[in-house]
Amino acid sequence: LTQHQRHNHHHHHHNHKTIMPAFHPEVKESFQKACATALLPVNTSVNGPAPRPSQKNDIIDVTLRYFKANILFRKYPLREGDEGAQDRTLLYLTFFTQSCLRKIEEKRCSNEKDGEKALMSYALESFDGPGDANFVLQGFIPNAESPAEKAQWMEYFKQLRQELVKRLVGKVFANTEDGGPNKFWMQFAKRKFLGKEIRL
């Protein structure tokens, strides 16, 4: 820590809990948007519209890396413009990650193979998007201005849901004695992210 940081760090120590910031993605590449949501590049072999990134870490890596920190927030201040568009992508993927953990719990998946099967079929189910009555991020992600824009959003996230499942399964079923789901992930299945209850 620099002297300046040390001073500030010490100064804020008593209310450290309240100032812990939520993590925001910082993608430098240009991207399209649908429903004010960034359609960011992703490394994937799953078919779909997502562009390929030039960097190794993509938004799914970022979502999974910061999931355990971000899931604890009751508020997530969206930034303006293109930065806010990236925030919306992260929020949706964070919610989806949590729904996957709920699914593993609900289906009592006892090993990676079961987990992958259950989550892949979940990722491919029809799901709610902006403007649908049960869409979990109403108020965060605006409705589409046209059916084409809605379709673009849905296609993008259908692809990302599948890719996220492929990566998540390897993490959730790693390093456990019995090959079952890891409690360090599963403990977050029931948390209320942004104070919302997830309906599967």
Side-chain angles (χ1 to χ4, degrees):
L1 292 172
T2 63
Q3 213 167 351
H4 175 68
Q5 279 173 316
R6 201 170 22 245
H7 171 73
N8 274 348
H9 188 69
H10 183 71
H11 182 65
H12 286 305
H13 192 68
H14 60 283
N15 65 353
H16 187 61
K17 263 204 153 43
T18 54
I19 60 164
M20 172 69 192
F23 174 82
H24 294 273
E26 298 293 346
V27 176
K28 298 284 178 266
E29 295 163 277
S30 62
F31 50 81
Q32 287 191 299
K33 287 181 287 196
C35 306
T37 309
L39 308 180
L40 298 169
V42 177
N43 290 304
T44 182
S45 57
V46 176
N47 281 334
R52 296 280 176 273
S54 56
Q55 66 231 63
K56 201 162 63 74
N57 286 347
D58 60 23
I59 189 65
I60 296 178
D61 293 318
V62 166
T63 300
L64 296 178
R65 177 173 320 138
Y66 293 99
F67 173 76
K68 295 170 188 177
N70 278 340
I71 201 74
L72 301 176
F73 288 100
R74 297 195 63 76
K75 289 192 168 59
Y76 188 93
L78 287 174
R79 296 170 299 174
E80 297 289 310
D82 279 358
E83 291 185 326
Q86 295 185 35
D87 289 343
R88 290 184 181 91
T89 311
L90 181 84
L91 284 185
Y92 182 78
L93 294 175
T94 299
F95 262 115
F96 178 66
T97 302
Q98 189 182 31
S99 324
C100 286
L101 297 178
R102 296 278 289 270
K103 205 40 122 179
I104 290 171
E105 205 172 61
E106 181 196 299
K107 298 270 188 231
R108 299 199 166 88
C109 303
S110 59
N111 58 54
E112 188 168 340
K113 208 163 151 273
D114 286 356
E116 184 159 31
K117 213 173 119 195
L119 292 188
M120 250 325 160
S121 73
Y122 176 52
L124 290 165
E125 278 171 23
S126 63
F127 58 97
D128 291 313
D132 294 328
N134 291 329
F135 183 52
V136 69
L137 285 173
Q138 269 173 349
F140 285 92
I141 296 181
N143 296 356
E145 290 181 7
S146 68
E149 186 183 16
K150 167 86 178 275
Q152 195 184 15
W153 193 97
M154 298 299 287
E155 279 302 301
Y156 176 78
F157 282 106
K158 182 178 182 180
Q159 182 186 14
L160 266 66
R161 284 161 68 103
Q162 295 170 70
E163 179 59 33
L164 189 146
V165 159
K166 289 164 79 165
R167 297 190 209 173
L168 179 65
V169 167
K171 293 180 189 299
V172 172
F173 291 89
N175 310 325
T176 56
E177 296 271 306
D178 59 358
N182 188 316
K183 64 177 188 299
F184 295 112
W185 279 92
M186 298 311 294
Q187 65 180 333
F188 296 103
K190 292 273 197 286
R191 295 303 292 235
K192 272 191 173 177
F193 178 44
L194 305 181
K196 290 175 181 289
E197 190 60 65
I198 287 192
R199 289 193 297 276
L200 284 178

